[in-house]
Amino acid sequence: MSEFLVTGATGRVGRHVVNALAEAGHDVRALVREPGNAALPDRVEIFQGDLASPHAVERAARDVEGVYLMWPGLPVEPRVVDAIARDARHVVYLSTDVADLADDEPATSFHQEIERQIRRSGAGWTFVRAIDFAANTLAWAGQIRQGVVRWPYGDAARSLIHERDIADVAVHALTTPGHDGNAYVITGPESITHREQVRVIGEVIGREVRWEDLPAEIAREELTAAWGDAGFVQARLDAWKRFADEPERVTGTVERLLGRPARTFRQWAEDHAADFR
């Protein structure tokens, strides 16, 4: 069996990547900030550190077959990618739905810049471009407990993906041949509106939850105060407005790669029902 390094090993996706690799009998290393709080399987080798430290990354990546890489919004540090590529033969990077860049084209997101650094590194690579996480709806948990969700664009239809499907695709790309040089855009199996997402969560937890459309101008003020990035908030509002007119696309990539359909939003809600109660 091969040995793999998982970064973000205690995160929503990384924890599933660690468990799946370990259950398949692979040797697994996990790069974590606080080993004492990691709560990972006993056989997993823990390395303390994070992606802000090229030295810690180089030590953890030494002589591994592959690396699952996620980038937590830190400034792009080419030395970290170089440290990974020095030993790892294959890097699977959790990205998002971004366009490929020419070598001299300016990046518009850190995902594009990390992808470019990986391409230049000399290591084999696969990009797992997840459009959006179903787990982002956990931001509604407090409102759902109160029985009403006030949010903009109730008719915005999203193709949200379960974090376990992201992990399963990443593990598949790490452990089976034929994925080098591929960028996979992955989604859930359906496009479901904000309003319907709230209804499904309510059904799963056994209580009625109402939806109230929040006017965009009020949402802009509230979300900017909460998130602190007016540009990001405006980009989200623009996207939701667009998805109210044209549902977010659905790809069949998960089923094509794994031989089974992607998990539905209802399945995700059932897995996370306790988080909303």
Side-chain angles (χ1 to χ4, degrees), residues 65-67 85 88-93 115 118-128 169-184 256-257:
E65 173 72 15
V67 174
R89 294 200 295 179
H90 192 191
V91 178
V92 172
Y93 174 55
E115 285 191 4
I118 293 170
R119 279 203 216 65
R120 291 172 173 173
S121 71
W125 55 266
T126 305
F127 301 146
V128 177
V169 168
V171 170
H172 182 71
L174 278 169
T175 59
T176 63
H179 306 288
D180 190 10
N182 285 297
Y184 297 127
R256 177 168 62 84
L257 291 174

Side-chain angles (χ1 to χ4, degrees), residues 232-254:
F232 178 75
V233 170
Q234 189 59 55
R236 290 286 80 200
L237 290 171
D238 291 344
W240 296 334
K241 181 180 180 180
R242 185 169 66 254
F243 296 145
D245 296 326
E246 182 179 342
E248 191 170 37
R249 64 176 166 151
V250 173
T251 71
T253 308
V254 171

Side-chain angles (χ1 to χ4, degrees), residues 13-174:
V13 177
R15 189 174 293 277
H16 291 298
V17 173
V18 168
N19 290 338
L21 289 170
E23 289 170 5
H26 297 287
D27 293 325
V28 185
R29 301 177 185 178
L31 184 68
V32 299
R33 289 193 184 96
E34 300 180 12
N37 298 327
L40 295 172
D42 290 340
R43 61 173 293 178
V44 173
E45 186 177 5
I46 303 295
F47 285 78
Q48 185 171 16
D50 60 33
L51 295 175
S53 171
H55 176 71
V57 172
E58 183 177 18
R59 181 169 53 88
R62 191 166 294 132
D63 297 325
V64 298
E65 173 72 15
V67 174
Y68 166 78
L69 176 65
M70 59 81 62
W71 202 271
L74 294 168
V76 176
E77 173 51 83
R79 290 185 302 159
V80 172
V81 175
D82 291 342
I84 289 171
R86 194 168 296 124
D87 282 280
R89 294 200 295 179
H90 192 191
V91 178
V92 172
Y93 174 55
L94 176 57
S95 187
T96 191
D97 189 17
V98 295
D100 293 328
L101 290 181
D103 285 345
D104 58 350
E105 188 177 357
T108 60
S109 76
F110 73 86
H111 285 296
Q112 287 181 313
E113 186 57 41
I114 294 296
E115 285 191 4
R116 179 154 53 193
Q117 294 294 335
I118 293 170
R119 279 203 216 65
R120 291 172 173 173
S121 71
W125 55 266
T126 305
F127 301 146
V128 177
R129 294 174 172 170
I131 282 186
D132 212 346
F133 290 22
N136 287 340
T137 62
L138 290 170
W140 295 336
Q143 294 188 73
I144 284 172
R145 294 186 194 107
Q146 298 299 316
V148 58
V149 173
R150 300 179 71 245
W151 201 259
Y153 298 110
D155 293 328
R158 309 297 316 282
S159 55
L160 304 178
I161 187 166
H162 197 306
E163 62 270 14
R164 288 179 61 191
D165 284 334
I166 301 172
D168 288 348
V169 168
V171 170
H172 182 71
L174 278 169

